[in-house]
Amino acid sequence: MSDKPWGGRFDAPTNAFVEAFNASTDVDQRMYAQDIEGSRAHATMLHRQSILSSNELKKILNGLDEIEGEIERGEFAFLIELEDVHMNIERRLTERVGEAGKKLHTARSRNDQVATGTRLYLRQRTDHVLDLLRQFQMVLVDIAQREHDTIMPGFTHLQSAQPVTFGHHMLAYVEMLDRDHGRFCDARKRMNECPLGSAALAGTTFNIDRQFTSDQLGFDRPCANSLDGVSDRDFVVELLAASSLCAVHLSRFCEELILWMSAQFSFIELSDAFCTGSSIMPQKKNPDMPELIRGKTGRIVGGLVTMLVNLKSLPLAYNKDMQEDKAAVFDTFDQLSASLRICIDMLPEMTVNRDKLYDAASSGHATATDLADHLVRAGVSFRDAHAIVGKAVAYCIRTKKELHTLSVNECADLDAHLSAEMISSLSVEACVAARKHLGGCAPQQVQMQCTLWKDRLENQDA
Ligand code: ARG
């Protein structure tokens, strides 16, 4: 008989390489606190249901406390022969408290144990990400407030399009991060059901109290179907999907920082603390942090694909394939949380080169749409106005001018409808100030949105 917790029906020992291949301790030991928490709730429930004596419960709870201490102090040796965090802790419990330890697994299986522990662990990690998202939004709102009237070029196709305000640009990301926050909240809601009591797959013959363990562990309710409770990992997929989209948002933001920090743009400067140099080119100051965050996206989206393919065609109920969920989702949470942390610390130290932004907004004929709008207000149809301004832009390109520098005579030559007043009102300030409707880029609108956001973010239950 082998020494495994499941060794009864085995004659020969496990192949040595299989021991290592089969084990998940290196990945799942970080869930030790949640495994212990689940065991406490389970044991307490067994005692309430008269399945464990008071003495047995006491021994188990003391033993679990001691094991938690051992792990926290780094004194616990996780053995790969014991496969995972669950069997390592259970075996140690029996070593410490004897017979009572062997009773802990009554009416439980590792299948509901791991499903419970993973949900508890990911719930905590999700709460941390939710907090980081709010912090990052706050950082961006602060910048938006400070730069509410900083004029910059807005781009489409990465070509100069229309002037916008820097604050407005920051607030666009605040909105994206808010939807990311919402997606994590949604995933958390669906995840927060307790699989404990599903046992291996079919439930248990013991008179257990699933509502009690669910309540003890802060779940909203017990999972309603034992097969589903142990065999789906859709909550992992949802968290990975929310993480992937969030990482994609971060990659877009970081891509802009990288472009903006190049000598060719010079819109911003990141502080030395968040940049690195080159081993050969002495002039270099590289935006490695935004680049790395952009690069993490591949890894995070990879985690989502890993889990979708992992679950595809898996028959009910538990299959060992699902042990692969943790490496993917833990890495994703580590990378996403670290990326958000860097953003939160890096952005307040960013310098915004207002003059550069202003000059860039003032070149590239970005006021052309506004000139067309002026023509429309003077009675020209929009399509004709578009053509007239297009002609004016072509003239400016030929003569190396900007629209706002056209003289009265040049206007008259281009089109009879073009007036000197239209040209003189073509400042970039006027362009952004005019867009003062809800959702527009006008400084007053940015300030209003900042006030709304501050209010929401400071009253965090929103
Ligand atoms: N380490 C396993 C996992 O992460 C625990 C469940 C194993 N159950 C089993 N019957 N082999 O999925």
Side-chain angles (χ1 to χ4, degrees), residues 15 23 37 80 85 118 137 179 181 201 240-241 253 259 265 315 329 331 334 343-344 369 403 420 422 430-431 455 460:
N15 169 296
E37 201 187 337
I80 59 162
V85 62
T118 306
Q137 285 181 296
R179 290 191 296 277
H181 189 275
L201 74 164
L240 289 168
F253 184 68
L259 286 172
F265 278 82
V329 73
D331 183 61
D334 291 348
C343 289
I344 292 162
T369 315
L403 289 170
M422 289 176 188
C431 286
D455 198 47
Q460 286 260 346

Side-chain angles (χ1 to χ4, degrees), residues 42 45-46 49 51 104-109 112 195-210 213 225-227 230:
H42 180 66
M45 181 277 291
L46 290 179
Q49 300 301 101
I51 301 167
L104 172 62
H105 214 51
T106 311
R108 184 175 78 169
S109 153
D112 59 344
L196 209 55
S198 302
L201 74 164
T204 171
T205 57
F206 291 94
N207 174 31
I208 57 171
D209 183 348
R210 294 197 58 212
T213 40
N225 181 296
S226 64
L227 290 168
V230 289

Side-chain angles (χ1 to χ4, degrees), residues 24 28 83-84 86 109-111 114 233 318-320 322-323 325-326:
S24 56
D28 62 25
E83 279 185 43
D84 52 27
H86 320 293
S109 153
R110 260 186 306 153
N111 297 349
V114 69
R233 295 290 183 270
Y318 179 83
N319 297 271
K320 186 77 168 193
M322 294 193 298
Q323 179 165 289
D325 62 350
K326 285 176 263 336

Side-chain angles (χ1 to χ4, degrees), residues 11 63 88 255 308 368 370 380 396 425:
D11 296 324
N88 267 277
E255 168 74 1
L308 284 170
D370 290 58
V380 182
C396 287
S425 62

